[in-house]
Amino acid sequence: MATKQPKRRYLTCEREWVYCTLIAVAGFWGAYTYLLRGGVFCNAQTGNVVLMGMALGAGQWSRALYYLIPVSAYILGAFVSELLPNPVKHRLLVRWDTLLILVEMAAVLVLGLLPETAPVQISQVAINFVASMQYNTFRQAEGIPMATTFATNHIRQIGIGLATEVRHGRSGDHGHRRKLAKHAEMLFFFILGAVTGTVFGNLLAGKAIWITLLPLGVIFATLLHADLTTEKDLVDRKPAGH
């Protein structure tokens, strides 16, 4: 008889509620940059690459080069978030994941201080950078691969889950339902963040981004507490997906 495998203990930075909160923040940022900072979505780069290709096809060389700025900021975010985790955990008492949330809070604080006349590119590039780091750092929520900055994969996974339900829904194997529910939950929180960003963007203009300091602050305080107390002995353990 096969022995039962012990249940994995997930780190605090892998918890589902952390991912739901982060994707809600990303939804807020998406609405914020589209509504108030140049009519673009900064959480992912597919749109910028398409626009670059269109500019190249139209012979608009300077415009095409402009799109290298947000794409490069996104590349830099992935580069930095790939290199820093090991040095951070060896030199500090906290994980990279925790430090990243603090960096995001600092970026949000600065962006909220910018006057409405400031170039929109400042906000765009800053959010490109931190969104890339967030996407590359938070990869799996309690064992399920997740994206915390955009919704495309969650929509795809919902479609896959529904197809699996049609094929196997009556077979007694319902393991797919948990994954389907989690992706639907992530999509819901992304939309909720976008709705909240639109409401507060219309009310508070540029300072609306400070609203995201609240959920980010909750995450930071929770991760910091875990790093210094309950998960102090697990600082060398990598979150799933890394």
Side-chain angles (χ1 to χ4, degrees):
M1 181 184 237
T3 57
K4 188 176 180 180
Q5 295 294 323
K7 187 176 180 180
R8 175 183 170 87
R9 176 188 172 186
Y10 293 108
L11 297 168
T12 302
C13 61
E14 299 176 90
R15 292 296 179 185
E16 178 188 335
W17 74 266
V18 171
Y19 278 66
C20 289
T21 306
L22 285 175
I23 201 169
V25 168
F28 191 109
W29 289 347
Y32 177 84
T33 56
Y34 188 86
L35 185 67
L36 301 168
R37 296 294 184 259
V40 298
F41 300 112
C42 295
N43 300 348
Q45 292 303 301
T46 302
N48 283 329
V49 174
V50 170
L51 290 170
M52 183 192 298
M54 291 172 64
L56 289 171
Q60 299 172 344
W61 313 118
S62 60
R63 186 172 180 82
L65 285 173
Y66 167 77
Y67 290 109
L68 285 176
I69 298 174
V71 171
S72 297
Y74 213 84
I75 291 172
L76 181 61
F79 177 81
V80 169
S81 62
E82 196 67 23
L83 290 182
L84 283 185
N86 281 334
V88 167
K89 75 180 179 182
H90 290 313
R91 291 176 172 82
L92 302 177
L93 297 176
V94 299
R95 290 179 168 277
W96 160 248
D97 313 68
T98 307
L99 182 60
L100 172 58
I101 300 300
L102 183 61
V103 170
E104 291 190 8
M105 292 175 67
V108 166
L109 182 62
V110 171
L111 291 179
L113 290 172
L114 294 177
E116 300 302 319
T117 55
V120 296
Q121 290 82 3
I122 297 174
S123 298
Q124 293 174 4
V125 170
I127 292 179
N128 282 324
F129 181 66
V130 297
S132 176
M133 290 195 294
Q134 179 177 303
Y135 174 44
N136 193 49
T137 299
F138 293 89
R139 302 184 186 181
Q140 286 193 19
E142 299 183 16
I144 299 177
M146 294 287 186
T148 62
T149 58
F150 53 87
T152 304
N153 185 57
H154 300 299
I155 295 171
R156 169 179 168 268
Q157 291 294 341
I158 289 170
I160 292 172
L162 292 174
T164 305
E165 178 67 22
V166 170
R167 287 199 304 263
H168 306 296
R170 297 181 181 178
S171 67
D173 181 9
H174 298 151
H176 63 281
R177 291 181 178 175
R178 174 176 176 266
K179 187 175 179 181
L180 172 60
K182 300 307 178 188
H183 284 290
E185 184 178 39
M186 291 289 281
L187 179 60
F188 169 80
F189 278 97
F190 187 80
I191 295 170
L192 180 63
V195 171
T196 307
T198 302
V199 171
F200 282 100
N202 285 322
L203 289 174
L204 303 175
K207 289 182 173 49
I209 198 169
W210 284 344
I211 297 294
T212 59
L213 287 172
L214 298 175
L216 289 173
V218 171
I219 295 175
F220 175 71
T222 304
L223 296 185
L224 182 63
H225 178 265
D227 289 346
L228 299 179
T229 58
T230 58
E231 293 177 358
K232 187 176 181 179
D233 58 332
L234 299 175
V235 68
D236 289 328
R237 183 173 132 190
K238 289 185 178 180
H242 288 260

